[in-house]
Amino acid sequence: MSGIADVALRAGVSKSTASRALSGAGHTSERTRTRVLAAASELGYVPSTNAVSLATGRTRNIGVVMPRVNRWFFAEVLEGIQATLLARGYDLTLYDAKPGSPERARVFTEFFARKRFDGLIAVGIEPVDDEIGQLQAVGRPIVSVVGAQDQPGVVGIDDVRASRRATEHLLGLGHRKIAFLGAGDAEVWANVDRLRLEGYRAAMSDAGLSASILHVPSPVTLPGGYAAAVDLLSDDRRPTAILAVCDEVAIGAIIAARRLGIAVPASLSVVGIDDHEFAEMFALTTLRQEPQEQGALAARVLLETLQHPDNPTLIEPMPARLIVRNSTASVDPSQL
Amino acid sequence: MSGIADVALRAGVSKSTASRALSGAGHTSERTRTRVLAAASELGYVPSTNAVSLATGRTRNIGVVMPRVNRWFFAEVLEGIQATLLARGYDLTLYDAKPGSPERARVFTEFFARKRFDGLIAVGIEPVDDEIGQLQAVGRPIVSVVGAQDQPGVVGIDDVRASRRATEHLLGLGHRKIAFLGAGDAEVWANVDRLRLEGYRAAMSDAGLSASILHVPSPVTLPGGYAAAVDLLSDDRRPTAILAVCDEVAIGAIIAARRLGIAVPASLSVVGIDDHEFAEMFALTTLRQEPQEQGALAARVLLETLQHPDNPTLIEPMPARLIVRNSTASVDPSQL
DNA sequence: TTGTAAGCGTTATCAA
DNA sequence: TTGATAACGCTTACAA
């Protein structure tokens, strides 16, 4: 456990010189610098992060809050953030904040107040009431991933546009009876769900099909989509196509269709949003978003902000490309 | 940003008295204590974790390393750890360490050397070569989740026993041609996979079926299990039952069977290990393990060790119960 | 029970 | 370019 004092001693300089040589800040002669560096590596010197933080006020640590980690999207975003921070030598402190839970309240008050991080990445956090103020009160830069597109510092795709595009794909195939599957009432993702529903509605309206708009609520999970689809598809007057709020729901719907003996895509087209890791296996047509990239971008933007606090970075919405696989086809004329 | 000095001033005491009153260590008169507490809350005082850590040597932070976070098991374990730490006021610093990656090397050397945590939880880390030494060198207590059962401080189920039990379930239903699906060669989970394969082999041998042992390699993912099962089941001499290394692979196999028109469980029994969140939806018979509990236990044990370093806690293997659903049935006599 | 003062391991200021 | 010395914000002997 040798400290900078030991290094200084061994290099025959003062602590301050050693510090300068090691951190690169301030002037040091080439000769002493190499001597200090040598001494440090010989001793296996590792600076105490606590002492550094105390003296400088920076932690080299980033906080990440998300409502949960056991969902494909969140896990992917987390990996993207992690990789980027790691490359820059930053640590990552994770905070779990399930909506409405008492733990969440503690995170927002107690844990955030400790300010153990230089900046915060909020993923899929839709702050309610006082949470907004609590986030502000942290007094550290914040970047969000998925959230209201109108706020600054938000990384994500344009959800309205994505689901509109997906709907148009189905319309282009001749479908008229298109159901939107997903987005129950009090969901985690309420915001995103709402935006995607909106895109679907807009596309339907534009096609003169306002009357055919059909919003089927479903839990936003694979089993949830399965169950909801079983109900929906058991009806005689079932739709010819389904737009799911995300791939997990879409895949649930495909599995439901198979079980009911409904051929996909011959008798039913299904399109999702995400390009989930299972999408290929189910030949799912979907709008691809890349959560790892979103996480990486969020991290980059945040680190950039830390370096140049008054250099506000404008974040462009990320692209969402239509990936056509084999879950969508032209509508069967007999079904019209 | 008021510090303890401000609190002390406001309460009309010295810094040390304020510190004692706030931390509860040492004696303080009831009266001054309440005064200090009042002053602290009026000022919204939050101790600087850096200063505390520097002075005490403890961080109130736990490190968690795992090879990845976007797999059901890991994500669940992480949630279990998180919840437990949160309840005790501990922070969680996450380290991603994909096997063999250069990032992993950095984590094990650079990041661990910073010792930003009081203890470490290693989930599914199968340390190689120098990594073992590097973990030791951290000089902090370590608890593992899943790993060699013979090492101390390891939380997990008895994998050999679990897969033996699963195999016996199939044997009890009259199956003789039972394939083990999973565990390719150079897999992340090599250790666990090997143990489960071993349990299967043991059960088969005990039943006098050594000759029928059939190990079919498959990537340990749902799509991987799907692909491997499609191959396996396309063969005329296909097995009447499959034991999958985990539920994700098992579910892949069920989906494959359905696509091939093979009825589960009538013509094919499938059993998994995990009780994954999708298991119920696929009526999968499985051996349930509870990763959240494992994470929580690991966290509890670690915190306990921090409090009583010389009180070695013995960790019992966690139970794995057979959950019989509808993916297994007595073998069809015509298939024998 | 309380206060003084010395750490904890760095960085930052200011002379030299 | 370098070196004393004072922060950083807290805990903890040691004295009172």
Side-chain angles (χ1 to χ4, degrees):
Chain A
M1 279 308 71
S2 40
I4 202 172
D6 305 301
V7 174
L9 191 67
R10 180 169 245 248
V13 296
S14 70
K15 282 200 307 175
S16 26
T17 304
S19 173
R20 277 186 291 253
L22 289 167
S23 69
H27 300 277
T28 359
S29 79
E30 200 49 41
R31 201 168 142 256
T32 57
R33 212 234 307 295
T34 52
R35 276 230 305 259
V36 170
L37 259 43
S41 86
E42 283 161 22
L43 292 172
Y45 166 72
V46 177
S48 151
T49 46
N50 283 320
V52 173
S53 296
L54 191 56
T56 61
R58 358 202 72 240
T59 61
R60 285 195 80 79
N61 184 39
I62 296 296
V64 175
V65 224
M66 32 179 77
R68 58 193 316 159
V69 73
N70 58 1
R71 276 279 164 269
W72 174 80
F73 182 85
F74 292 110
E76 291 288 316
V77 170
L78 185 54
E79 296 239 336
I81 295 173
Q82 174 81 261
T84 304
L85 294 183
L86 186 75
R88 305 271 300 253
Y90 271 73
D91 275 325
L92 185 167
T93 294
L94 182 67
Y95 299 100
D96 213 329
K98 290 188 219 327
S101 68
E103 291 79 23
R104 173 153 167 153
R106 276 194 76 189
V107 167
F108 272 75
T109 53
E110 198 178 322
F111 283 75
F112 284 176
R114 305 216 274 239
K115 299 182 209 287
R116 253 194 156 147
F117 39 75
D118 295 334
L120 195 59
I121 299 179
V123 187
I125 295 295
E126 304 187 333
V128 295
D129 310 336
D130 35 330
E131 288 179 356
I132 301 177
Q134 290 165 342
L135 283 174
Q136 236 78 52
V138 176
R140 298 266 184 278
I142 299 182
V143 172
S144 306
V145 180
V146 297
Q149 217 49 264
D150 49 352
Q151 282 170 25
V154 176
V155 169
I157 62 170
D158 182 334
D159 287 289
V160 178
R161 193 134 172 267
S163 71
R164 172 191 271 275
R165 180 84 189 74
T167 311
E168 287 168 354
H169 169 64
L170 293 171
L171 290 167
L173 291 169
H175 292 276
R176 291 299 172 263
K177 291 162 70 179
I178 305 172
F180 179 87
L181 194 58
D185 286 329
E187 281 298 329
V188 177
W189 281 61
N191 237 335
V192 172
D193 293 349
R194 211 174 311 122
L195 294 172
R196 293 186 183 171
L197 178 57
E198 196 180 301
Y200 156 78
R201 283 211 173 106
M204 291 294 277
S205 294
D206 287 1
L209 295 171
S210 315
S212 306
I213 286 175
L214 176 59
H215 170 204
V216 181
S218 153
V220 187
T221 63
L222 199 154
Y226 173 79
V230 166
D231 279 356
L232 173 65
L233 298 175
S234 300
D235 192 313
D236 281 343
R237 301 187 327 251
R238 62 180 158 84
T240 65
I242 290 177
L243 165 60
V245 70
C246 70
D247 280 4
E248 279 156 306
V249 171
I251 291 168
I254 289 180
I255 294 173
R258 285 187 188 164
R259 296 230 79 178
L260 295 172
I262 300 171
V264 174
S267 309
L268 178 75
S269 285
V270 179
V271 53
I273 300 177
D274 268 351
D275 201 26
H276 188 279
E277 57 174 326
F278 297 165
E280 180 136 36
M281 163 179 166
F282 288 94
L284 179 65
T285 294
T286 189
L287 264 95
R288 170 182 297 167
Q289 67 171 325
E290 292 174 316
Q292 287 212 15
E293 294 303 317
Q294 296 182 31
L297 176 60
R300 283 200 305 273
V301 168
L302 184 55
L303 294 182
E304 180 62 26
T305 304
L306 291 177
Q307 288 197 351
H308 311 288
D310 21 55
N311 226 14
T313 14
L314 185 64
I315 308 174
E316 300 277 325
M318 303 206 69
R321 217 175 89 232
L322 179 69
I323 307 291
V324 179
R325 293 203 181 89
N326 200 27
S327 69
T328 49
S330 296
V331 67
D332 177 352
S334 73
Q335 290 187 317
L336 279 179
Chain B
M1 277 304 72
S2 40
I4 202 173
D6 304 302
V7 175
L9 191 66
R10 181 170 247 252
V13 296
S14 70
K15 282 199 309 176
S16 36
T17 305
S19 173
R20 279 186 289 253
L22 290 167
S23 69
H27 301 277
T28 359
S29 79
E30 200 48 42
R31 200 167 144 256
T32 58
R33 206 224 324 288
T34 52
R35 275 231 306 257
V36 170
L37 259 42
S41 87
E42 284 162 21
L43 292 172
Y45 167 71
V46 177
S48 151
T49 47
N50 283 319
V52 173
S53 296
L54 191 56
T56 62
R58 356 202 75 242
T59 61
R60 286 194 81 77
N61 184 39
I62 296 295
V64 175
V65 224
M66 32 178 78
R68 58 194 315 160
V69 73
N70 58 2
R71 277 276 164 271
W72 175 79
F73 182 85
F74 292 109
E76 291 289 314
V77 170
L78 185 53
E79 296 239 335
I81 296 173
Q82 174 81 260
T84 303
L85 294 183
L86 186 74
R88 305 271 299 254
Y90 271 73
D91 275 325
L92 185 167
T93 294
L94 181 67
Y95 300 100
D96 213 329
K98 289 187 219 328
S101 67
E103 291 79 23
R104 173 152 167 154
R106 277 194 75 189
V107 167
F108 273 74
T109 53
E110 197 178 323
F111 283 75
F112 284 176
R114 304 216 275 240
K115 299 183 209 288
R116 252 192 158 149
F117 38 76
D118 296 334
L120 195 59
I121 299 179
V123 187
I125 294 296
E126 305 187 333
V128 295
D129 310 337
D130 34 330
E131 288 179 356
I132 300 177
Q134 290 164 344
L135 284 175
Q136 236 78 52
V138 175
R140 298 266 184 278
I142 300 182
V143 172
S144 306
V145 180
V146 296
Q149 221 43 269
D150 49 352
Q151 282 170 26
V154 175
V155 169
I157 62 170
D158 181 334
D159 287 289
V160 177
R161 193 133 173 270
S163 72
R164 173 192 271 277
R165 181 84 190 75
T167 311
E168 287 167 354
H169 169 65
L170 294 172
L171 289 167
L173 291 170
H175 293 275
R176 291 299 172 261
K177 290 163 70 177
I178 305 172
F180 179 87
L181 194 58
D185 287 330
E187 280 297 330
V188 177
W189 280 60
N191 237 336
V192 172
D193 292 350
R194 212 175 310 123
L195 294 172
R196 293 185 182 172
L197 178 56
E198 197 180 300
Y200 156 79
R201 283 211 173 107
M204 291 294 277
S205 295
D206 287 0
L209 295 172
S210 316
S212 305
I213 287 175
L214 177 59
H215 171 204
V216 180
S218 153
V220 187
T221 62
L222 200 154
Y226 173 79
V230 166
D231 278 356
L232 174 65
L233 299 174
S234 300
D235 192 313
D236 281 344
R237 301 185 328 250
R238 61 181 159 83
T240 66
I242 290 177
L243 165 60
V245 70
C246 70
D247 280 4
E248 279 155 307
V249 171
I251 291 169
I254 289 179
I255 294 173
R258 284 187 187 163
R259 297 229 79 179
L260 295 171
I262 301 171
V264 175
S267 308
L268 178 75
S269 285
V270 178
V271 53
I273 299 176
D274 268 351
D275 201 25
H276 187 280
E277 57 174 328
F278 297 165
E280 180 136 36
M281 164 179 167
F282 289 93
L284 179 65
T285 294
T286 188
L287 263 95
R288 171 182 297 167
Q289 68 171 324
E290 291 173 318
Q292 287 212 15
E293 293 303 317
Q294 296 182 32
L297 176 60
R300 282 200 306 273
V301 168
L302 184 55
L303 294 182
E304 179 63 26
T305 304
L306 291 177
Q307 288 197 351
H308 311 288
D310 22 55
N311 226 14
T313 14
L314 185 65
I315 307 174
E316 300 277 325
M318 304 207 68
R321 216 175 91 232
L322 179 69
I323 307 291
V324 179
R325 293 204 181 89
N326 200 27
S327 68
T328 49
S330 296
V331 66
D332 177 351
S334 71
Q335 292 187 315
L336 279 179

